[in-house]
């Protein structure tokens, strides 16, 4: 047999992979000469990797040594294609891409690999078994990757995962002997977790041992790797003009294979036993043979990995499960086919006719692919039970409860879409199957029921257990067969054809249960009784084969354009289309729905709360039938009349609202394929943006309420369970409340236990949790048993969530759970509210008496669930808090044993919380609709520019907060100009060094002035609930948390005021934030905000008391006093006591300790002011952990201030520590917490927990104070809304901490309206101050003008080469602080402009285009210079000359990736010119000679591909790598790729890639100790490789440090530019000092 050439790459951590190929050992591998750029220009002298097509005659095969293969591996280029709908379309896409590549300018040698995600239903085993023997390409193999029960008995087309491969790229000689295979350590198959190519090999096979053949490995040409929820198809080609595989032939082979394999897998294959299919290949079972794999790079080291999860003992070979076809006549397998059975002899030896028929029944079921038997004990069914349990290839489970057993069977069918066989005795045992039969019928689940029966003569005679079982299930079964009593007068063929027909009915659309009634006469056991063997006549061919007697063939049904032309026209013409996802259980259908949604880009609906009356779709496309949500059903009804399309595979009518206009019966994937081929995407951006914004707000509201609730609620269980579940696991949701809570409150952003969403390189998010449930008849019976059966059939971990009544209804299911049949671990979450809580949410709860509700509806109970679990030996965990539930879920996901987690709840608490959730969600939807509709014009308005100036104003008194200079206040005033002429003003005023200095703020503002130009505002921004954060990330491309709190506050202020300006002169920031706030057109109608006076504690107690009395005389009703400034807390207490004597107790008194006291000092103060009736004390202790302790021991109310300033990523979790009743308030400084969005979030939490939310200023100017007045009014209005919904008493007006206005001697703005009148502030005047004002020019300290970028070309001659370097500059040319920025490969000087803008005020910033990039060019001066190669040394010499031209100062070098390597080289070679080095994701090179050699070959190959195939195709491949996973998720990634594609000097790029390769530059690791310039290394948190490199560098350098950018990958300067700016600034400060 012949082997052909091609490669595969293993699947990466997501699809990135470096690829390997192995060639015959006599192949010559020539390393390119030093004159590398000859081949780049002329396409000659490419690496001469000779590829030889080999015969399968072992003696003729030429093997490649591992060392040689390592170099070849480096040349392979991997290209990832967009996901495909099916395996067939994936093969077509690969073929089209190969043909496209073939048409490109050719290279003399190379390797290319394509990989594509295909439908998860693309089964490796099915693909192997469906191969046409005439294809003639070998080897062909299947290897199982199952880790449990890996024997042929448990093989299944639908359950078994594995790897399929066909063809061989090359062979490689294994560096170990066949005898040593027994000593190799085995570990789990890693294909989806590894970035490297896998090589496969066969060891231990008898022919290899006896013929003394050396072990070898091969790499498949086409490979399909199947895993949970994902299948990856790959193909690889390699060529060399001087070999037997020239360029055209290499491409033609892949085109041939992809064409030959592009055909639907025969469905009939899936309805047969695997043994029947494999026998056509003449498989030879060899228990000693093992198929192994390894990362091809490790072959030199002799590292083999067994394909299973078995241990190192030699006995593990018995469970190695594979099939390998070496040729058309030679095939070997292990654990794949059943042992030889003489069926004819076995049948003839049957002891009686009952035994014969039963044996025929079970054998035919097995041949039809039915191997799972659920057996209920009984006498009359003895023949069937004995036959089933005696068959060597069946899996049987026995259970005493027929009802539970039947539900278990439909769970199995739901999991694998194949019927289980249920065997019962006669009588009521049969009637117990009815509930499950109804469910299976309603939900189209295949099921085969074999019910034993009494013979006809015993019916209607009073015989024991004899009832009329004929058509007992009525119309709920697809077909009923009543077999005759076994007799030798009837041909045995009748038995076989009956079962063939029955299974066909069960599996044909609409699938469902089939009932076969099987009467038996005695003897029921194996008692001998003569029978005539003539009844076996005609079975000869059946006995000699493994096929069913009758083979049913289903036609391959698919749509054509003509079939559904009308529907396609409706979809194409839709303006307001929505995609509705119904009940979908098959992975293929889920995958198809995801791709359909991606293609159409329509809003996808699962539930829309109360928004339904405001949505008017013109087309609704529903995929899958049943809709769980009552609200969605109501939306459907309200949307009529509109075009309504329903797509599902069954013919039944699922239209309870009578609105369907187009009904498509067919496979979802076929319909999706038709739509994707025929319909172009037309997006109504306003429509989709509107719906997405409303959805985001409602989702935020639900998430906030669920997580802010202290107690463990049932919606929290639904939310956190879907978040915590691992990718690859499945949920089974019980009916009644669990399914409704999961539908309403389940998280749509589940990340799995590893905290990340898997993402394909194409940018398509790949993350779903498959959810199942019994929604046919939606009963609560048999749920636990169904879930267990589902786990068996689905072959995945299952998390089951059910209610307590459902659990008790199916307690017998615990016995099934204990059996631990062939399945993976299960977690059962039982929500125990001690009754049927759903009735508390129905109208009956408001009509019936409590006693009647409890007894007849709730069916309240006190059953101990833990006792039931203990009785069955099942692990039980009881949880009553959020943390306990999270811990239990985490533990259960990592344990192998089943676990029941009982969640304690109560009906009343559940009812109240659901009521609040519903009300708040409806309110959120209404507010969102109102604001977004009113501000829809914003979606078309862009930002014209952002300007700012620095102000300085005089103060009346020193600040109460210590700063460098307390005689004046400084900050920045922003003005945001929109293209429609509207403007908005904002203020940025960091206080001292609190979270940023003035310089830090200035740099960020300069950065923002550049990136915000041309950005479109969004109507959702005033909603605040995450809308600003989303907008900042999506539109500005920067992490929201990287913006300084004061800067973000000022930016939000300017944007909100600009939006108010768009709405007209009568609108204010308050009107924008709260749509129901009246537009205040006169001060007479204005509401006021109460102000708390601020008092410093300087002076004697009597002096301070006097000042307090003066404030009272001015009208202040609340005073705050600064404490903890004196030598002893007793002294502060004396001041408080004196003030109380002076002003009385009708004035509210607050004190602020600013976290300056220890716990003992604070407690001492508290003990001395107990009688002073303080409203609260702010931050009494310097340790946050002591706050609650202080509350409890002192009894004094506390307010949080500095504590909330430091909230990080999970603020609700941090705030949850402070729900104590004695914590009565939060003091919120918007400029400290990070803007109005975060301030509103904290205030919302406070109001939700009945605490005061006090807005406080930080001595800002009148701009911020006016904005804070409006914001304070907004918060009070929101609090009134909350109190109304929660039926709480509305809190009286809060005195806000805006009394700092009294400190202002001057102000930035001059306004006709005075906002503050002593103890109050006018909301109207505050609005006027923000719209009708003039800038006080005396306050302007420094203006910032937008600097024009200087762009020029500088020529430099080095070693006969002329470099024309494009240079960009910002900043004062006379500035002594010079920063030079060097980009990475494919980048340009443009990458640095935003960062340069930020730093240009303090530094001269220079960015250059490196050779081959951007506007830089390089040319040889004469013929001699033609041979000069680009190198690190040449580039460094060029830069040294360039720097000498540009400046006479030392420069600070900032480099990224390739540029970072250059900066380090410059620091070593030209230390006298380098002041400091900032390396971003850089390295000193490779210190391993072999790795350098391989890397240089790799980069030479890439350079050659770049020339041959062009920049665009190269960039697609380049950025599909694992290193760019984080960058691919960046909102501006597509624009980044588009900019990179503009490079026009392809030859120059190729020379740079090759010449500056890390494999070609000298390693600088040993030279690091000689670096004299200070170095800082910046790396991304998610860039593990460069994190390790950075840490190692710092150990060697000693004086350097690593800055880690949170949530960033390799391109830190793009992903988190503000962090880079701050790191550079701090580095420069250290350099100067």
């Amino acid at each position: 047999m012949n082997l052909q050439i091609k490669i595969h790459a293993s699947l990466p951590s997501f699809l990135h992979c470096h690829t390997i190929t192995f060639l015959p050992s006599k192949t010559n591998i020539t390393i390119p000469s030093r004159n590398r750029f000859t081949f780049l220009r002329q396409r000659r002298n490419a690496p001469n990797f000779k590829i030889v097509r080999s015969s399968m005659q072992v003696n003729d095969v030429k093997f490649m040594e591992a060392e040689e293969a390592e170099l070849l591996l480096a040349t392979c280029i991997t290209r990832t294609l967009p996901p495909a709908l099916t395996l067939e379309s994936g093969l077509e896409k690969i073929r089209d891409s190969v043909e496209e590549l073939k048409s490109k300018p050719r290279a003399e040698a190379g390797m290319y690999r394509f990989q594509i995600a295909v439908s998860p239903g693309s089964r490796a085993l099915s693909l192997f078994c469906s191969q046409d023997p005439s294809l003639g390409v070998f080897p062909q193999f299947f290897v199982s990757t199952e880790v449990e029960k890996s024997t042929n008995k448990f093989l299944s087309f639908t359950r078994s995962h594995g790897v399929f491969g066909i063809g061989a790229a090359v062979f490689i000689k294994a560096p170990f002997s066949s005898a040593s295979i027994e000593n190799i350590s085995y570990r789990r198959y890693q294909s989806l977790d590894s970035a490297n190519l896998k090589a496969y090999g066969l060891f231990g096979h008898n022919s290899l041992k006896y013929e003394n053949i050396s072990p070898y490995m091969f790499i498949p040409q086409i490979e399909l790797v199947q895993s949970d929820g994902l299948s990856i198809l790959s193909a690889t080609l390699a060529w060399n003009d001087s070999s037997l595989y020239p360029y055209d032939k290499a491409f033609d082979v892949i085109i041939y294979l992809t064409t030959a394999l592009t055909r639907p897998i025969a469905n009939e294959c899936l309805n047969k036993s695997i043994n029947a299919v494999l026998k056509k290949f003449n498989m030879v079972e060899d228990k000693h043979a093992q198929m192994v794999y390894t990362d091809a790079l490790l072959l030199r080291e002799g590292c083999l990995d067994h394909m299973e999860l078995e241990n190192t003992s030699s006995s593990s070979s018995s469970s190695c499960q594979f099939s390998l076809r070496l040729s058309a006549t030679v095939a070997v397998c292990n654990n794949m086919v059943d042992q030889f059975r003489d069926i004819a002899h076995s049948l003839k030896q049957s002891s009686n006719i009952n035994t014969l028929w039963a044996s025929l029944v079970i054998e035919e079921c097995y041949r039809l692919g039915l191997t799972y038997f659920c057996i209920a004990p009984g006498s009359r069914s003895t023949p069937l039970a004995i036959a089933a349990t005696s068959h060597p290839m069946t899996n049987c489970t026995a259970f005493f409860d027929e009802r539970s057993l039947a539900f278990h069977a439909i769970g199995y069918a739901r999991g694998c879409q194949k019927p289980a066989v249920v065997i019962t005795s006669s009588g009521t045992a049969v009637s117990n199957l009815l509930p499950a039969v109804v469910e299976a019928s309603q939900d189209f689940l295949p099921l085969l029921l074999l019910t034993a029966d009494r013979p006809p003569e015993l019916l209607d005679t009073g015989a024991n257990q004899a009832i009329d079982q004929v058509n007992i299930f009525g119309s709920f079964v697809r077909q009923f067969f009543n077999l005759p009593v076994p007799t030798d007068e009837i041909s045995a063929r009748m038995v076989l054809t009956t079962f063939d027909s029955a299974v066909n009915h069960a599996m044909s659309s609409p699938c469902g249960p089939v009932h076969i009634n099987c009467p038996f006469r005695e003897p029921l056991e194996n008692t001998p009784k003569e029978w005539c063997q003539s009844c076996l006549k005609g079975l000869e061919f059946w006995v000699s084969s493994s096929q069913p007697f009758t083979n049913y063939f289903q036609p391959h049904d698919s749509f054509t354009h003509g079939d559904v032309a009308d529907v396609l026209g409706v979809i194409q013409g839709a303006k307001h289309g929505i995609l509705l996802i119904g009940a979908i259980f098959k992975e293929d259908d889920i995958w198809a729905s995801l791709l359909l949604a991606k293609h159409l880009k329509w809003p996808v609906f699962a539930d829309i709360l109360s928004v339904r009356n405001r949505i008017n779709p013109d087309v609704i496309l529903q995929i899958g039938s049943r809709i769980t949500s009552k609200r969605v059903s109501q939306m459907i009804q309200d949307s009529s009349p509109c075009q309504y399309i329903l797509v599902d595979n069954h013919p039944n009518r699922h239209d309870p609202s009578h609105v369907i206009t187009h009904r498509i019966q067919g496979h979802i994937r076929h319909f999706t394929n038709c739509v994707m081929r025929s319909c172009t995407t037309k997006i109504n951006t306003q429509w989709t943006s509107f719906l997405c914004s409303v959805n985001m707000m409602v989702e935020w509201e639900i998430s906030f309420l669920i997580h802010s609730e202290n107690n463990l609620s049932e919606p929290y269980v639904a939310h956190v369970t879907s978040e915590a579940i691992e990718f690859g696991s499945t949920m089974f949701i019980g009916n009644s409340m669990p399914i409704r809570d999961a539908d309403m409150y389940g998280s749509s952003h589940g990340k799995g236990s590893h905290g990340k969403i898997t993402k394909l390189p194409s940018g398509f998010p790949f993350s779903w949790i498959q959810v199942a449930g019994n929604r046919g008849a939606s009963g609560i019976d048999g749920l636990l048993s169904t879930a267990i059966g589902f786990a068996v059939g689905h072959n995945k971990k299952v998390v089951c969530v059910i209610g307590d009544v459902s659990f008790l209804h199916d307690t017998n299911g615990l016995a099934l759970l204990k059996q631990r049949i062939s399945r993976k671990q299960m977690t059962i979450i039982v929500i125990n509210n001690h009754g049927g809580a759903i009735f508390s949410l129905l109208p009956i709860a408001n009509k019936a008496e409590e006693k009647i509700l409890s007894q007849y509806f709730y069916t309240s109970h006190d059953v101990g669930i833990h006792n039931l679990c203990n009785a069955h030996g099942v692990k039980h965990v009881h949880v009553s808090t959020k943390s306990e539930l999270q811990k239990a879920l985490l533990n259960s996901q990592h344990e192998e044993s089943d676990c029941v987690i009982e969640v304690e709840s109560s009906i009343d608490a559940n009812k109240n919380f659901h009521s609040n959730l519903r009300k708040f969600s409806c309110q959120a939807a209404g507010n969102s609709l109102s604001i977004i509709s009113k501000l829809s014009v914003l979606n078309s308005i862009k930002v014209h520019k952002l300007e700012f100036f620095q102000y300085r104003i005089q103060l009346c008194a020193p600040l109460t907060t210590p700063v460098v200079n307390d005689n004046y206040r400084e900050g920045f005033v922003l003005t945001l100009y929109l293209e429609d002429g509207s403007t908005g003003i904002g203020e940025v005023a960091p206080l001292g060094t609190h979270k940023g200095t003035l310089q830090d703020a200035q740099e960020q503002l300069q950065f923002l002035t550049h990136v915000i130009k041309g950005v479109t505002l969004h109507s959702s921004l005033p909603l605040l609930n995450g809308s600003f954060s989303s907008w900042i990330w999506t539109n500005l491309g920067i992490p929201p948390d990287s913006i300084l709190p004061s800067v973000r506050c000022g930016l939000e202020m300017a944007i909100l005021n600009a939006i108010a300006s768009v709405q007209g002169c009568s609108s204010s920031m308050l009107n924008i934030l709260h749509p129901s706030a009246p537009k205040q057109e006169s001060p007479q109608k204005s509401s006021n905000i109460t102000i708390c006076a601020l008092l410093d504690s300087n002076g004697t107690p009597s002096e301070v008391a006097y000042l307090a009395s003066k404030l009272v005389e001015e009208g202040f009703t609340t005073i705050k006093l600064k404490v903890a400034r004196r030598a002893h807390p007793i002294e502060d207490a004396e001041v408080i006591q004196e003030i109380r004597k002076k002003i009385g107790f009708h004035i509210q008194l607050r004190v602020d300790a600013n976290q300056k006291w220890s716990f003992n000092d604070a407690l001492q103060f508290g003990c001395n002011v107990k009688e002073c009736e303080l409203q609260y004390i702010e931050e009494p202790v310097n340790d946050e952990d002591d706050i609650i302790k202080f509350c409890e021991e002192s009894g004094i109310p506390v307010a949080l201030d500095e504590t909330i300033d430091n909230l990080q990523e999970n603020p609700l979790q941090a705030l949850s520590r402070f729900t104590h009743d004695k914590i009565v308030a939060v003091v919120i400084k918007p400029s400290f917490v990070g803007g109005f969005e975060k301030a509103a979030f904290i205030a919302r939490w406070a109001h939700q927990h009945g605490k005061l939310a006090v807005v406080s200023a930080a001595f800002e100017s009148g701009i911020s104070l006016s904005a804070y007045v409006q914001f304070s009014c907004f918060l009070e209005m929101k609090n009134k809304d909350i109190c109304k919904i929660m039926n709480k008493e509305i809190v009286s007006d809060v005195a806000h901490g805006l009394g700092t206005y009294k400190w202002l001697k001057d102000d930035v703005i001059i306004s006709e309206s005075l906002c503050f009148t002593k103890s109050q502030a006018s909301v109207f005047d505050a609005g006027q101050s923000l719209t009708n004002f003039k800038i006080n020019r005396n306050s302007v300290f420094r203006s910032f003008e937008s600097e024009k970028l200087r762009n020029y070309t500088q020529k430099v001659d080095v070693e006969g080469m002329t470099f024309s370097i494009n240079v960009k500059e910002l900043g004062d040319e006379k500035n002594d602080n010079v920063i030079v920025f060097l980009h990475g490969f494919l980048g340009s000087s443009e990458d640095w402009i935003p960062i340069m803008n930020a730093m240009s005020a303090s530094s001269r910033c220079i960015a250059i285009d490196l050779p081959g990039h951007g506007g830089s060019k390089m040319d040889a001066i004469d013929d001699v210079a033609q041979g000069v190669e680009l190198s690190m040394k040449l580039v460094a010499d060029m830069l040294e000359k360039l720097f000498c031209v540009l400046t006479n100062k030392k420069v600070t070098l900032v480099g990224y990736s390739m540029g970072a390597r250059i900066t380090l080289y410059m620091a070593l070679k030209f230390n006298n010119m380098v002041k400091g080095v900032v390396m971003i994701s850089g390295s000193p090179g490779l210190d391993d000679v072999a790795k350098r050699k391989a890397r240089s070959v790799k980069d030479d190959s890439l350079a050659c591909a770049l020339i041959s195939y062009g920049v665009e195709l190269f960039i697609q491949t380049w950025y599909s790598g694992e290193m760019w996973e984080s960058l691919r998720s960046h909102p501006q990634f597509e624009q980044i790729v588009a900019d990179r594609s503009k490079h026009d000097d392809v030859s120059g790029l190729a020379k740079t890639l090759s010449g500056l390769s890390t494999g070609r530059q000298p390693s600088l690791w040993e030279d690091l100790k000689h670096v004299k310039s200070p170095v800082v290394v910046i790396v991304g948190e998610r860039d593990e490789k460069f994190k390790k490199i950075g840490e190692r560098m710092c150990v060697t350098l000693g004086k350097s440090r690593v800055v880690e950018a949170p949530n960033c990958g390799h391109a830190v300067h793009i992903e988190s530019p503000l962090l880079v700016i701050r790191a550079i600034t701090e580095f420069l400060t250290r350099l100067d000092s």
Side-chain angles (χ1 to χ4, degrees), residues 424-443:
T424 72
S425 185
S426 60
T428 57
V430 178
S431 59
N432 276 321
L433 304 179
L434 179 61
V437 170
V438 171
E439 176 65 29
S441 178
Q442 295 293 97
D443 225 8

Side-chain angles (χ1 to χ4, degrees), residues 572-611:
Q572 185 65 53
K575 296 179 179 179
H576 294 161
I578 64 173
L579 180 61
L580 190 59
I581 306 298
I584 300 178
F585 297 111
K586 296 181 180 179
E587 287 182 329
D588 281 353
D589 291 340
I590 296 173
W591 178 262
S593 299
L594 288 171
L595 291 178
L596 180 62
K598 183 175 185 287
H599 177 77
L600 290 177
K601 294 183 172 61
W602 288 3
V604 179
F605 277 64
D607 204 332
I608 38 73
L609 298 164
S610 61
V611 189

Side-chain angles (χ1 to χ4, degrees), residues 375-377 398-405 432 811-816 819 872:
I375 303 171
F399 200 57
F400 52 81
D401 181 355
E402 289 84 358
R403 188 190 65 168
S404 291
L405 190 68
N432 276 321
T811 304
N812 284 344
L814 286 171
L816 275 171
Q819 286 189 29
H872 288 86

Side-chain angles (χ1 to χ4, degrees), residues 903-938:
V903 179
E904 191 67 32
S905 181
S906 75
I907 290 178
D908 290 340
N910 183 57
K911 175 184 178 180
N912 293 334
F913 190 60
H914 273 85
S915 176
N916 287 339
L917 272 174
R918 185 170 57 255
K919 292 175 182 177
F920 279 114
S921 299
C922 290
Q923 184 188 69
N927 288 343
S928 302
L929 284 165
S930 177
I931 291 177
I932 293 171
S933 300
K934 184 170 68 173
L935 301 177
S936 59
V937 67
L938 277 180

Side-chain angles (χ1 to χ4, degrees), residues 982-1000:
S982 304
T983 61
I985 191 170
E987 178 181 0
V988 174
L991 190 60
T993 58
H994 183 83
K995 291 194 176 179
T997 63
L998 278 173
Q999 182 183 349
D1000 296 330

Side-chain angles (χ1 to χ4, degrees), residues 20 22 66 172-177 180-181 183-190 194 196-201 203 216-217 291-307:
I20 311 186
F22 301 109
I172 181 169
K173 186 182 296 183
F176 33 71
S177 66
S180 66
I181 191 71
N183 299 320
I184 294 173
S185 295
Y186 307 126
R187 63 187 183 205
R188 183 173 182 172
Y189 184 73
Q190 300 280 337
S194 174
N196 293 325
L197 182 66
K198 296 294 184 293
Y200 301 85
F203 292 84
Y216 62 87
M217 309 288 287
M291 194 166 180
V292 297
Y293 86 102
T294 185
D295 182 331
L297 279 176
L298 301 178
L299 277 171
R300 281 180 54 189
E301 305 167 16
C303 299
L304 272 184
D305 293 341
H306 193 278
M307 298 300 289

Side-chain angles (χ1 to χ4, degrees), residues 1296-1597:
H1296 294 280
L1298 307 179
T1300 56
Y1301 79 88
K1302 297 177 71 67
W1303 262 252
L1304 302 181
K1305 185 176 182 179
D1306 297 323
D1307 204 349
V1308 176
I1309 56 175
I1310 302 171
S1311 177
E1312 297 179 0
S1313 304
L1314 294 176
C1315 175
F1316 293 92
T1317 54
K1318 306 230 174 187
S1319 64
Q1320 291 192 328
S1322 166
V1323 176
F1324 172 82
D1325 290 338
Q1328 291 296 302
S1329 296
L1330 293 172
T1331 54
N1332 303 321
F1333 65 87
K1334 295 180 180 179
I1335 297 295
N1336 176 11
R1337 292 300 166 186
N1338 294 327
S1339 68
V1340 179
F1341 181 72
R1342 181 184 179 189
S1343 296
F1344 296 88
E1345 299 293 334
S1346 178
E1347 187 178 357
K1348 186 176 181 180
L1349 183 70
R1350 302 186 295 278
N1351 194 359
Y1352 56 91
T1353 300
Q1354 184 66 51
K1355 289 191 175 182
V1356 180
D1357 293 337
V1358 181
E1359 295 185 22
M1361 298 288 293
T1362 295
F1363 292 89
S1364 299
I1365 302 300
N1366 187 52
V1367 183
K1368 291 182 174 61
E1369 269 201 54
L1370 282 171
D1372 187 353
E1373 294 182 67
K1374 298 179 181 178
N1375 197 316
D1376 291 341
N1377 197 19
V1378 182
I1379 308 176
V1380 177
F1381 295 89
L1382 303 179
H1383 59 78
F1385 180 65
L1386 290 178
S1388 71
S1389 55
E1390 292 283 341
D1391 298 349
W1392 298 107
I1393 291 177
I1395 293 177
M1396 291 166 64
N1397 266 283
M1399 308 197 69
S1400 60
S1402 58
S1403 303
R1404 180 188 177 193
C1405 299
I1406 302 172
I1408 68 172
D1409 289 335
L1410 290 169
H1413 293 74
S1416 293
K1417 306 293 181 183
M1418 52 184 174
D1419 296 292
I1421 296 175
D1422 51 37
D1423 292 340
V1424 176
Q1426 291 289 340
V1428 175
E1429 300 173 355
L1430 196 65
S1431 65
M1432 185 69 71
K1433 177 182 180 301
L1434 184 62
V1435 171
D1437 290 342
M1438 179 272 294
L1439 289 175
E1440 186 266 341
K1441 288 191 175 184
L1442 178 64
F1443 293 169
C1444 290
V1445 174
L1446 297 179
T1447 180
N1448 59 0
K1449 306 289 192 303
K1450 277 193 170 186
V1451 300
T1452 300
L1453 295 175
V1454 178
Y1456 160 68
S1457 196
M1458 179 179 73
R1461 291 188 283 114
I1462 296 173
T1463 63
L1464 186 61
Y1465 189 90
M1466 293 285 293
L1468 281 163
K1469 188 173 182 181
F1470 304 107
N1471 177 62
N1472 60 317
M1473 300 187 67
V1474 179
K1475 184 178 181 181
V1477 174
V1478 178
M1479 296 182 66
I1480 304 172
S1481 303
S1483 81
L1486 299 170
D1487 56 355
D1488 181 273
V1489 175
K1491 289 181 179 178
R1492 284 207 301 275
K1493 189 176 181 181
R1495 181 56 187 264
S1496 63
V1497 172
K1498 172 75 172 178
D1499 288 336
D1500 285 351
S1501 175
L1502 287 169
C1504 190
L1506 176 57
I1507 289 178
S1508 298
Y1509 306 128
V1511 175
E1512 185 175 348
L1513 187 58
F1514 177 84
I1515 286 178
Q1516 290 178 13
T1517 303
W1518 181 266
Y1519 284 112
S1520 68
E1522 184 179 6
M1523 186 167 68
W1524 309 110
E1525 181 180 355
S1526 178
L1527 183 62
R1528 287 195 297 268
S1529 64
H1530 193 278
Q1532 297 173 354
F1533 176 67
E1534 291 184 6
Q1535 184 59 49
I1536 293 169
V1537 170
D1539 292 340
R1540 300 286 194 264
S1541 300
K1542 294 177 182 177
H1543 287 298
D1544 56 2
D1545 186 3
V1546 177
S1547 177
L1549 277 178
K1551 290 180 179 180
T1552 304
L1553 175 58
S1554 178
L1556 300 186
S1557 166
T1558 51
R1560 198 153 277 123
Q1561 78 157 69
S1563 172
L1564 304 179
W1565 283 104
E1566 289 298 321
D1567 298 320
L1568 287 179
K1569 56 192 174 186
H1570 301 302
V1571 176
K1572 297 180 180 179
S1573 304
V1575 178
V1576 64
V1577 180
I1578 303 176
V1579 295
E1581 178 189 24
R1582 296 165 62 182
D1583 191 357
E1584 293 296 333
K1585 174 182 175 181
F1586 282 86
K1587 278 170 61 177
K1588 293 177 181 177
I1589 290 173
E1591 292 166 359
R1592 182 184 170 192
M1593 286 180 62
C1594 287
V1595 170
T1596 306
L1597 288 168

